[in-house]
Amino acid sequence: MPKKLTRNSKAYYICEECGFAYKGKVTARKCESWCRKYKSCNVEITKHAVEI
Ligand SMILES: [Zn+2]
């Protein structure tokens, strides 16, 4: 499960595998299952990652 993090009263979801942060829980879960399965990141997913 992606870890929920609150910064400046905004919620982010962190992929536990690669550590990227996402605004959407669905995207974070997608990233996490991809990372776990393929042991690499999918650029189509990580392009949605945000800086926190
Ligand atoms: Zn990931």
Side-chain angles (χ1 to χ4, degrees), residues 8-38:
N8 302 321
S9 66
K10 284 186 190 121
Y12 298 96
Y13 296 91
I14 317 293
C15 169
E16 288 193 316
E17 294 293 315
C18 69
F20 275 118
Y22 298 93
K23 282 180 185 165
K25 193 179 186 177
V26 176
T27 317
R29 287 195 70 167
K30 246 187 246 177
C31 183
E32 203 170 86
S33 53
W34 183 281
C35 291
R36 214 159 268 169
K37 197 169 174 185
Y38 300 103

